[in-house]
Each structure stands twice: as structure tokens, then as C-alpha cells.
Amino acid sequence: MIAITLLSIKDDNEKIKEMYSLNPDYIHVDVMDGKFVSNVVDFKELPETSIPKDVHLMVYDIKKYVDYYSKYSPEYITFHFEATDNVGEMISYIKSKNSKVGIAINQETSVEQLEPYLGQIDLVLVMSIIPGSGGQKFIEGSNDKIDELKRLRDEKKYSYVIEVDGGINNITKDYCKNADILAVGSYLTLSENYQEKYQSMLK
């Protein structure tokens, strides 16, 4: 499945609508508070669409942003493991808002650290770049976490989906064969031939 990230075109509603026209599986909404990561990105309003939303919170004040983005009725709200000492509480809070729960992990966080929560969540987001800005290159070895998450899911009969975010294009997608959702950003959104690029991701 493909989730199109809007980070590189966040202020261009016409371009966002063009991405909607590709009819991806998800619209991936990156939110940044300028504290957990250095950039600030906050989509106060988005053009309407029936495409399911996948909200990725790169923030410290998780509940505040969950409250705001719940108005879009996202299918998934994902917070960062590294952003809180109260992971279980955040899982319960997002579930109370009738969204599925995702946890994102940065490069320094191991799958082993996440294991106590894998039976409680709906999505694991593997960051294949350093979070905070688009257009970065895929970090080699990120696929090892994807493969480990797939192994654990099969072994333990967990039900989470695996998403990978960062540096995804028609080449690096092949490193992520055990992922269920590819979050694709600048490869599509900054291209003059975004329709052709999108088709290349589907092959």
C-alpha cells in the first residue's frame, strides 16, 4: 500500500489535491512541533477527501495534537516511542479517540524496546531517515527492523501493520518488501511526472 506524504507541499492545496487524484491508500500527514524535531509543520486545515488519513505526530505534547487531529477522523494516529515515558497511556488515549494506534521508532530505537507494546498497537512506523525534514536518503539497514517486525508478527500472531517512512522511491521500495505501507513523499510530490512516478511505485 502507498501513503503519500504531504510534507514537501504542505502550503499548496492545489498540489495536495493533485496527490489526492492519484487515489493512494492513505494520505500521510506529518506534524512537527519544533521541539521533538527542529522543524514546525502543523496542518491546521486540509482539503477534504475520502482517502483515509495516517497522522504521524513528531511532537512531545502528544495528547494536544491527538485532540486536534482527531477532527479529521484519521484511521491511524502514530506517535514516537522516543517522545514519551508513558507509552501505554498514549496508546489508551488514542484508542479513546476511535483511531487505530501506531508507534514510530527512530534509528536509535530497537525493535526489542518496542516488544512490550506490539500486542496492543495497530501499526509500527519504521523511520528510514532522521525525522524532521523530507528529501533525505534512505538509511541502509533500516530494512533489518522491518524484517524483524515481520518475523515477530508471524511468530506471535500480532496484527499490526508495518509502515516505512523516509527516502522511499522506485529503488528503495525493494528494500522494504516486508513492509505493508510505504510512505512516499518528495519522490512524488516534487516530481513533474508524479503520475508516472506513482505508477512506478505500484509495479
Side-chain angles (χ1 to χ4, degrees):
M1 292 185 283
I2 302 294
I4 295 181
T5 72
L6 305 178
L7 182 60
S8 297
I9 54 169
K10 59 184 181 296
D11 298 318
D12 188 342
N13 278 356
E14 289 307 310
K15 189 71 172 181
I16 289 172
K17 289 176 182 177
E18 289 179 17
M19 295 301 109
Y20 288 178
S21 73
L22 295 172
N23 197 31
D25 299 286
Y26 293 97
I27 294 297
H28 185 92
V29 182
D30 287 310
V31 182
M32 306 179 189
D33 63 358
K35 298 173 184 176
F36 181 71
V37 294
S38 58
N39 286 342
V40 176
V41 177
D42 198 353
F43 289 89
K44 290 301 184 184
E45 296 296 334
L46 280 170
E48 290 187 11
T49 178
S50 60
I51 300 168
K53 293 183 182 65
D54 163 29
V55 174
H56 175 196
L57 301 178
M58 288 170 268
V59 303
Y60 279 122
D61 193 347
I62 296 166
K63 289 184 178 180
K64 169 188 168 182
Y65 288 92
V66 168
D67 288 344
Y68 182 82
Y69 283 92
S70 291
K71 75 175 186 176
Y72 290 117
S73 299
E75 182 168 341
Y76 294 103
I77 298 179
T78 296
F79 67 95
H80 270 260
F81 179 85
E82 304 86 3
T84 179
D85 293 324
N86 299 300
V87 173
E89 181 182 345
M90 294 305 114
I91 290 171
S92 297
Y93 193 74
I94 292 171
K95 287 182 177 179
S96 76
K97 300 295 184 178
N98 298 314
S99 287
K100 296 177 183 177
V101 183
I103 297 182
I105 53 174
N106 288 342
Q107 288 288 309
E108 68 271 17
T109 302
S110 68
V111 172
E112 183 180 7
Q113 290 173 269
L114 199 58
E115 278 194 64
Y117 308 101
L118 290 177
Q120 306 171 45
I121 62 177
D122 305 290
L123 180 148
V124 180
L125 176 59
V126 175
M127 294 302 300
S128 47
I129 58 170
I130 305 302
S133 61
Q136 299 180 56
K137 291 183 178 180
F138 185 94
I139 295 174
E140 291 185 19
S142 299
N143 53 299
D144 292 342
K145 289 181 181 177
I146 298 167
D147 297 344
E148 176 67 2
L149 285 163
K150 171 69 162 54
R151 185 191 67 77
L152 280 170
R153 183 175 65 186
D154 293 346
E155 180 182 296
K156 304 287 188 180
K157 307 301 181 186
Y158 291 138
S159 57
Y160 56 80
V161 297
I162 303 166
E163 183 173 12
V164 58
D165 180 7
I168 302 297
N169 55 42
N170 64 332
I171 295 172
T172 57
K173 69 173 184 176
D174 292 334
Y175 305 154
C176 308
K177 291 181 179 179
N178 282 327
D180 304 293
I181 304 172
L182 302 180
V184 187
S186 55
Y187 176 71
L188 295 175
T189 57
L190 299 183
S191 171
E192 294 294 325
N193 300 307
Y194 61 89
Q195 293 173 323
E196 180 181 320
K197 292 288 183 68
Y198 184 72
Q199 289 304 313
S200 76
M201 294 300 302
L202 297 177
K203 291 178 181 177

